[in-house]
Amino acid sequence: LTLFERPGGVTENIPTKNMEAYEMWLKGNHFIRNGPEDAEKAVTFFQKAINLDSTYAEAYLGLAWGYFFSTEFGVRNNVWLAKVKGAVEKALSLNLREEKSYELMLAIYLYEWNWVAGKREYDKWFSVNSSGATSHAVYLRMVYGDFRQAIQMQEEFVKKDPLNLEALRILASNYTHDKQYREARGILKKALEIDTAYGYAYISMGWNYYLERNYELAFKNYEEALKLVPDSKYILQLYCIALASSAQKDRAKRQFKILNEDSQISDAF
């Protein structure tokens, strides 16, 4: 039996003698494949699997990814970090030595700005998954600062899968980090031609224009993203940052106040 498919199509064998725990894991796996959208539901089922089998390493790894995705585009803090790190370390303590464990530990170390540990985890991860071009291009630029090589790797991946929206977004992100803003926007436009409801493209486009200090076009793209997810805390935060950087500081203060007071605003996207 194989599953635990995250975006990218990776699968793993799932060992547990408790079939009820496995059933809970399957349900968690179903939701985790949707990424941030259903991460909280995934967390609930992975936790149920752990309650039924406290040695179920894959359930701990699923729980860690669930925590990670639940605030992937929301507010990250020490509480969030402790939950993610605790779950993945438990999976590793149960001898789960596979690529998704190393990938998540790498993401955690990069969040902590621990570059030495990050490089160590990158090397471990690459040793078991040298073909993960999409993700490797992201981490290569972050760990080694090699934007040009990251772009080259990602372009090769896109050639093989030109309709992969996430691959296009990451390629655009690589160009943006290399300050090739026009090239990045061209790629994001291609992604939107494939799917006009691809919210990440609008977010990335908004950030791209923000970096060029073209605030009006940044606002326009954030507003398009908000049409798709009206209560996204992450998009609203970016919108407020753009407002504060422009001449609209009073409006930014009002928006930040609303953002902090409105309990209905979610961490979606």
Side-chain angles (χ1 to χ4, degrees):
L1 296 173
T2 61
L3 263 178
F4 196 62
E5 180 182 340
R6 293 199 313 101
V10 179
T11 59
E12 282 300 327
N13 292 319
I14 310 302
T16 180
K17 295 179 180 179
N18 189 315
M19 294 310 296
E20 188 178 355
Y22 179 60
E23 183 180 349
M24 293 298 102
W25 180 90
L26 284 175
K27 291 180 179 179
N29 178 76
H30 169 76
F31 288 113
I32 200 66
R33 282 183 287 179
N34 294 330
E37 183 179 350
D38 288 326
E40 292 184 7
K41 294 178 183 177
V43 165
T44 299
F45 286 109
F46 286 132
Q47 187 61 63
K48 287 181 178 180
I50 290 167
N51 292 341
L52 291 163
D53 181 358
S54 62
T55 64
Y56 198 168
E58 285 79 1
Y60 283 105
L61 181 59
L63 182 66
W65 278 107
Y67 285 141
F68 181 81
F69 278 136
S70 67
T71 52
E72 185 174 16
F73 289 102
V75 177
R76 292 180 169 184
N77 53 37
N78 290 334
V79 174
W80 165 83
L81 181 63
K83 286 184 176 182
V84 178
K85 200 170 185 178
V88 72
E89 286 179 344
K90 179 63 176 179
L92 289 168
S93 74
L94 293 168
N95 295 317
L96 186 64
R97 299 289 188 269
E98 55 91 56
E99 62 185 79
K100 290 185 290 294
S101 302
Y102 298 134
E103 180 185 357
L104 189 50
M105 283 303 297
L106 170 56
I108 291 169
Y109 284 132
L110 293 179
Y111 174 81
E112 294 179 320
W113 293 74
N114 188 339
W115 304 111
V116 174
K119 289 179 181 179
R120 184 180 66 240
E121 293 301 318
Y122 177 87
D123 291 338
K124 288 181 185 177
W125 183 44
F126 192 83
S127 70
V128 296
N129 179 24
S130 60
S131 62
T134 296
S135 297
H136 284 306
V138 177
Y139 293 121
L140 185 66
R141 74 157 191 258
M142 295 178 73
V143 177
Y144 294 100
D146 193 340
F147 302 116
R148 298 300 170 89
Q149 186 176 349
I151 289 170
Q152 184 178 355
M153 288 176 65
Q154 192 64 12
E155 284 181 337
E156 289 299 318
F157 186 88
V158 169
K159 286 179 183 178
K160 297 176 183 178
D161 192 359
L163 300 181
N164 187 318
L165 295 174
E166 179 67 3
L168 288 168
R169 184 187 68 82
I170 291 172
L171 178 58
S173 179
N174 287 332
Y175 274 113
T176 297
H177 279 79
D178 199 38
K179 298 183 180 180
Q180 298 186 56
Y181 301 120
R182 181 177 296 178
E183 289 80 359
R185 290 195 296 271
I187 294 163
L188 292 169
K189 288 176 182 177
K190 288 180 181 178
L192 288 170
E193 287 173 1
I194 297 170
D195 184 357
T196 57
Y198 185 48
Y200 293 114
Y202 289 114
I203 295 170
S204 298
M205 192 85 78
W207 181 250
N208 183 295
Y209 279 121
Y210 166 78
L211 292 174
E212 281 201 317
R213 299 184 180 181
N214 189 333
Y215 300 120
E216 289 304 317
L217 287 178
F219 298 149
K220 179 180 178 181
N221 280 278
Y222 289 148
E223 287 164 2
E224 288 297 322
L226 284 168
K227 289 178 183 178
L228 298 171
V229 189
D231 296 328
S232 169
K233 181 183 294 184
Y234 176 69
I235 302 171
L236 288 169
Q237 287 172 335
L238 291 176
Y239 194 87
C240 289
I241 290 169
L243 284 172
S245 300
S246 68
Q248 304 183 55
K249 291 183 170 54
D250 290 338
R251 185 180 172 192
K253 289 179 181 178
R254 291 195 298 272
Q255 289 291 335
F256 271 120
K257 185 177 180 180
I258 293 171
L259 186 62
N260 291 328
E261 291 177 351
D262 193 344
S263 61
Q264 300 301 313
I265 293 176
S266 71
D267 285 331
F269 256 114

